Amino acid sequence: IELAKQYAKVNANVLIQGESGTGKDLFAQAIHNTSCPDGPYITINCSALPRNLIESELFGYEGGAFTGADRKGRPGLIELANGGTLFLDEIGDMPLEIQPVLLRVLEDKKVMRIGGKRYIPVDFRVISASNKDLNSMVQEKTFREDLYYRLAVFKLQIPPLRHRKDDIIELAKYFIKVISQKIGREIPVLTKEAQKIIQDYNWPGNVRQLKNNIERLM
């Protein structure tokens, strides 16, 4: 948390790594809210973008650029992030063939839409996140080294919930309170026996799994 506060003061790219469900997107949003709260916050889930549409989604396109394209054209997500933050979630799943194009955009801070003839200047901060070890992927040649160093100016490692035992009960009580208010019922007491069970469990799905389990129990 202290590192994230320091990173928010400097306009440089941040790479957040940690297991699925640890709250990487929460840290990204917090850094953005501190550094440029008035700018847009554009999220791109690199693992969810269809391979055949990823370029048009990222870079946009001019009218008539391809069959089925909007006649007026459309700005891409990178263009929409101008003046704010571009959050690249699951960056480890970015297709290898798209990585050099993304690198060029990050270096030059300008983007050309598909079918376009001019570059559009863009100014944004990049925060990326991954549950994969990108450094190992670089060694295995499945992720570009130059892009990795461009993204990882600052690095933030979010520890799994099983390494934050003191947080488990605090989070559980918080979720119980929030969910109780949401469904309009009295806040139940978390017994010592229940606390021990919750704290001793490994939580492979981390905070997301804890929240989902509390919601189901409620």
Side-chain angles (χ1 to χ4, degrees), residues 101-149:
V101 188
L102 176 63
L103 177 64
R104 177 63 63 187
V105 172
L106 298 184
E107 288 179 340
D108 298 343
K109 289 295 175 78
K110 57 185 180 181
V111 64
M112 183 184 291
R113 295 182 184 180
I114 295 173
K117 296 179 180 178
R118 65 183 181 91
Y119 282 102
I120 301 167
V122 285
D123 184 23
F124 54 85
R125 178 184 196 154
V126 175
I127 302 177
S128 50
S130 180
N131 58 14
K132 298 179 178 178
D133 185 346
L134 293 189
N135 198 32
S136 296
M137 291 181 68
V138 168
Q139 305 304 318
E140 295 162 3
K141 308 295 183 186
T142 55
F143 197 87
R144 286 183 64 106
E145 184 177 24
D146 45 7
L147 179 59
Y148 171 73
Y149 289 122

Side-chain angles (χ1 to χ4, degrees), residues 34-169:
T34 303
S35 59
C36 54
D38 298 326
Y41 179 76
I42 304 296
T43 298
I44 298 174
N45 189 325
C46 300
S47 64
L49 282 175
R51 264 185 121 82
N52 59 326
L53 294 177
I54 192 165
E55 285 192 84
S56 61
E57 289 290 325
L58 289 178
F59 310 119
Y61 57 84
E62 296 293 350
F66 51 86
T67 304
D70 190 317
R71 282 185 292 179
K72 295 180 181 178
R74 197 174 73 178
L77 294 170
I78 290 175
E79 195 176 329
L80 292 174
N82 188 40
T85 301
L86 181 69
F87 177 47
L88 299 171
D89 198 13
E90 304 302 347
I91 186 64
D93 292 321
M94 173 71 71
L96 202 56
E97 65 270 19
I98 301 295
Q99 291 180 24
V101 188
L102 176 63
L103 177 64
R104 177 63 63 187
V105 172
L106 298 184
E107 288 179 340
D108 298 343
K109 289 295 175 78
K110 57 185 180 181
V111 64
M112 183 184 291
R113 295 182 184 180
I114 295 173
K117 296 179 180 178
R118 65 183 181 91
Y119 282 102
I120 301 167
V122 285
D123 184 23
F124 54 85
R125 178 184 196 154
V126 175
I127 302 177
S128 50
S130 180
N131 58 14
K132 298 179 178 178
D133 185 346
L134 293 189
N135 198 32
S136 296
M137 291 181 68
V138 168
Q139 305 304 318
E140 295 162 3
K141 308 295 183 186
T142 55
F143 197 87
R144 286 183 64 106
E145 184 177 24
D146 45 7
L147 179 59
Y148 171 73
Y149 289 122
R150 173 64 66 177
L151 296 172
V153 177
F154 290 133
K155 287 189 280 189
L156 199 62
Q157 186 73 36
I158 310 298
L161 192 57
R162 61 184 174 275
H163 294 165
R164 296 154 44 198
K165 291 287 187 181
D166 293 341
D167 289 352
I168 294 174
I169 301 304

